Amino acid sequence: MTRCVSIYKVLGLFALIAFLTGCAAEKDPLITSTLSQDFMTEPTMPKYPGGIEKMFEFIADNLRWPDDDACIQGRVVVSFIVEKDGSLTDVKVIKSVDPAFDKEAIRVVKSMPKWEPGMWRGKPARVHYCIPIKFRLLADENY
C-alpha cells in the first residue's frame, strides 16, 4: 500500500513539474500568427493630402458663391466614399441649405485631389466620410 502511495506521489510530482515548466515557458504572447495580428491593427481613417486644415483651405480657395445673389447662408453637409485608390465617389448632399449651394458643394468636393485611403487590417479600405461646408456672408461674424 505504501508503494502505491509513493508511486502516486512521484507521478503527481512529475505532473506538477511538467505543468509549472509549461507555465514558465509561456512568457511570450499567445498570439503569434500573422492572421491574428491583422485583427489587432487599428483601422485608420482616410486623410486629405496635407491634413484637415489643408482640406478646408482647398474648399475656401475653390468655393464660389452661387450666381443667384441669394442672401441665404448655412451649412451644407456632403457625404462621399473614399475608395481604396483614394478617389472620391458617391458624392451627395445629406443636409441641404439651397439647391444652388448644394450643387456648388458637390462641385468642390468632386474637384478635390485623391486622398490617402483608409486602412483596415493593413489593407486599403473604402470609407464613408462626411464634411460640412459653410456658406456665410462676411458681415455676419457670429455664424
Side-chain angles (χ1 to χ4, degrees), residues 4-104:
C4 282
V5 172
S6 57
I7 288 176
Y8 287 121
K9 284 183 182 179
V10 171
L11 288 176
L13 184 62
F14 280 125
L16 181 63
I17 291 170
F19 175 75
L20 292 175
T21 305
C23 288
E26 292 189 23
K27 289 182 182 175
D28 294 333
L30 295 175
I31 301 170
T32 56
S33 74
T34 56
L35 180 61
S36 297
Q37 289 174 354
D38 284 346
F39 287 108
M40 294 175 59
T41 57
E42 291 286 325
T44 57
M45 291 297 288
K47 295 177 192 151
Y48 182 84
I52 288 282
E53 295 83 20
K54 290 287 185 186
M55 177 186 68
F56 284 114
E57 189 177 300
F58 174 87
I59 291 171
D61 290 344
N62 292 288
L63 196 65
R64 288 179 275 177
W65 198 266
D67 292 332
D68 56 355
D69 293 328
C71 291
I72 302 169
Q73 58 184 0
R75 183 179 313 176
V76 176
V77 180
V78 180
S79 153
F80 53 91
I81 294 176
V82 180
E83 296 290 340
K84 293 178 182 181
D85 66 350
S87 61
L88 306 182
T89 59
D90 197 26
V91 180
K92 59 187 172 190
V93 172
I94 58 172
K95 182 179 180 271
S96 177
V97 172
D98 181 77
F101 291 161
D102 299 346
K103 193 174 178 181
E104 179 60 15

Side-chain angles (χ1 to χ4, degrees), residues 109-128:
V109 170
K110 285 184 175 181
S111 70
M112 285 183 178
K114 284 190 175 187
W115 289 38
E116 295 174 24
M119 301 294 277
W120 190 59
R121 294 186 179 172
K123 295 180 181 174
R126 297 177 76 221
V127 178
H128 181 256

